[in-house]
Amino acid sequence: QGLSARLQIEDALSQVGLEDYTDTLCQEMSAGQLRRVALARLFISQRPLWVLDEPFTAIDVLGVSQLEQRLQNHVQQGGTVLLTTHQPLAIAQVKNLTLHPCRHEASYES
């Protein structure tokens, strides 16, 4: 798709901290780097609904903070994020559904 697509890719990689890995094969990357590549692909997709399963796994503290900000931006622009996580989120206007294993109950917070 030409220069425009290249700039989108470079921007997405920069957003996930992989700006120095544009010429690195995915098979040579760590689990955390692969997770970041997947997130960069999501950012380029421009899909309104993001469904993420444990997106913070294998990402360092700075990466978690950056991802939370990116998720917040997506929601502020009218998008929706549905995700599972075992850690508290620092994102405004989050609706949480907490599932309690083996107790067959759920609690809902807004």
Side-chain angles (χ1 to χ4, degrees), residues 19-67:
E19 58 274 352
D20 295 332
Y21 293 84
T22 56
D23 296 323
T24 303
L25 298 174
C26 287
Q27 64 193 26
E28 298 171 1
M29 293 183 169
S30 70
Q33 291 167 331
L34 290 174
R35 174 78 53 156
R36 290 172 185 252
V37 168
L39 291 169
R41 291 180 67 203
L42 177 66
F43 299 163
I44 291 171
S45 74
Q46 299 180 1
R47 303 287 181 175
L49 173 62
W50 293 356
V51 179
L52 305 169
D53 182 22
E54 294 290 343
F56 304 106
T57 301
I59 294 181
D60 61 21
V61 174
L62 178 59
V64 167
S65 177
Q66 291 170 333
L67 177 54

Side-chain angles (χ1 to χ4, degrees), residues 1-100:
Q1 296 180 8
L3 181 59
S4 176
R6 177 71 179 183
L7 292 176
Q8 283 183 322
I9 292 168
E10 289 174 359
D11 182 53
L13 290 174
S14 179
Q15 287 181 44
V16 296
L18 292 177
E19 58 274 352
D20 295 332
Y21 293 84
T22 56
D23 296 323
T24 303
L25 298 174
C26 287
Q27 64 193 26
E28 298 171 1
M29 293 183 169
S30 70
Q33 291 167 331
L34 290 174
R35 174 78 53 156
R36 290 172 185 252
V37 168
L39 291 169
R41 291 180 67 203
L42 177 66
F43 299 163
I44 291 171
S45 74
Q46 299 180 1
R47 303 287 181 175
L49 173 62
W50 293 356
V51 179
L52 305 169
D53 182 22
E54 294 290 343
F56 304 106
T57 301
I59 294 181
D60 61 21
V61 174
L62 178 59
V64 167
S65 177
Q66 291 170 333
L67 177 54
E68 286 178 333
Q69 183 60 52
R70 187 64 177 95
L71 297 174
Q72 180 70 50
N73 291 345
H74 180 67
V75 170
Q76 288 174 337
Q77 294 170 1
T80 301
V81 178
L82 175 65
L83 66 87
T84 63
T85 185
H86 285 92
Q87 68 183 58
L89 296 174
I91 300 174
Q93 299 177 335
V94 169
K95 292 187 171 121
N96 292 313
L97 175 64
T98 304
L99 301 177
H100 304 283

